[in-house]
Amino acid sequence: MRLFDIVVVPPLWLFALWKLPHLKSASRRDRVLWTMWMLWAVLFTIGVPAVRTVLDAAVGMEGFAKLPVHMLGLCAMTAFVEFIREATGARRNSKAWLRWVLLGLAEAGLVTAFFASPLPEGDADLVTRTDLPQMQVYWAIFLAYIGHGVVRKIHLCWRYGRQASPGPSRTSMNLLGLASCFGLLYVVHRLVYLVAAVAGATSTAGFFATSQTLLACTLVLFLASMAYPSLAGAAKRHRLRKDRRVLRPLWELLTAVTPEVVLPLPEVLSRDHEFVRYRYVIEIRDAALAVSGHVRPEQEARVQEELTGTGLAGSALDAASEAALVLFAVESERAGAAPSAAEHPLLREGPDIDAEMAWMRRVAAAMSTPAVEAAVGRLR
């Protein structure tokens, strides 16, 4: 197999087969997308030299396999434009049926031009015979349809990509727009070759390698644009599960002595990692406030001074100090000691949930350090 086939064909089949089990319950948008991937998987499989040779031999016409490849390519382009319209919520109009008429005419034009061409002698590939007027018409139809589809994709990505919210959706649209630009370069490159052939040029040096490189870049970027939201979602779920595991010991420590801050959680929400992380942050903050009456201002100053003496400074000092104060407050509450000060925040508040989560992770990590354990011991 060629390098192009190794890079392109297996990912296409893997992506199409990965989506297949969920196709029955999928939305129309996802079904259209799956249709496009399956069409591409089939047409690029047919384009593999070994497969193409078998198909040509079965039909008895050298170069015949290029015809179904290009016909499926037009169908895949139509499906992809339809997917982008569904994904961006583009307005439908009463002339939408013309797209299918245009596809039918383009397919009929390819078939007519192909079979109207005289068969070359020997093993020459019919579709590469751009010196034939029929093949010039063939390529003109194919490139015009693909070029029209690519330009529409670029327009839709540019128009709606700017409106997408920052994050995976916008990144996906940007990758899709970049893939469409490579697709346009592929069309222009093919068109230049066709015009040169009509003008009488016969050299093909580097043409096929450049064409395959542009097509491979287009498809790899298409794959990346489609897979990125799923991969980003999986990475986010992994990060949320990790945050949940990190926060749970601190949450259990504080809520064990302040069970009143714990709200009942329905079973369905307990599986929502983002909601559970949010709950942990809120309840840790509330529980720390509830036990803060055991910490007097002079004790806070003492802990700061002792931990500064260990070489800590800056945010590391602040995290260690808060860890020591929380541990001391929990021990005092567990021992039944009466509060000796007014309630006040023991934990730094952040501008958003992510900032608070990051800070609580640092406080939780500092609790097991020797310096913090020693500071708590001296407060007892």
Side-chain angles (χ1 to χ4, degrees), residues 239-248 250 276-278 280-282 284-285 348-364:
R239 186 178 69 253
L240 290 173
R241 285 194 296 269
K242 183 178 180 180
D243 288 347
R244 181 175 176 174
R245 289 194 303 269
V246 170
L247 279 186
R248 187 170 181 83
L250 179 59
V276 171
R277 183 186 70 154
Y278 178 77
Y280 281 177
V281 170
I282 297 300
I284 286 172
R285 186 197 305 150
R348 177 192 296 183
E349 294 185 5
D352 53 50
I353 194 71
D354 290 326
E356 292 206 32
M357 170 65 213
W359 181 250
M360 288 180 181
R361 289 181 66 173
R362 295 191 66 176
V363 172

Side-chain angles (χ1 to χ4, degrees), residues 19-28 30-31 34:
K19 293 290 186 179
L20 183 59
H22 312 288
L23 197 61
K24 187 175 181 181
S25 58
S27 63
R28 181 179 185 275
D30 290 338
R31 289 197 298 272
W34 181 86

Side-chain angles (χ1 to χ4, degrees), residues 109-127:
L110 289 185
V111 173
T112 301
F114 184 87
F115 286 106
S117 299
L119 294 177
E121 296 181 0
D123 295 332
D125 190 335
L126 179 61
V127 176

Side-chain angles (χ1 to χ4, degrees), residues 84-85 88 90 148-162 173 177 180-181:
I84 296 178
R85 291 182 61 85
T88 57
H148 172 70
V150 168
V151 170
R152 288 190 65 194
K153 286 191 292 185
I154 293 175
H155 170 71
L156 289 171
C157 290
W158 172 256
R159 179 178 178 183
Y160 293 99
R162 293 176 298 172
M173 290 295 288
S180 300
C181 290

Side-chain angles (χ1 to χ4, degrees), residues 8 109 157 185 208 279 322 356:
V8 172
C157 290
L185 287 175
F208 292 106
R279 173 200 183 181
E322 292 183 12
E356 292 206 32

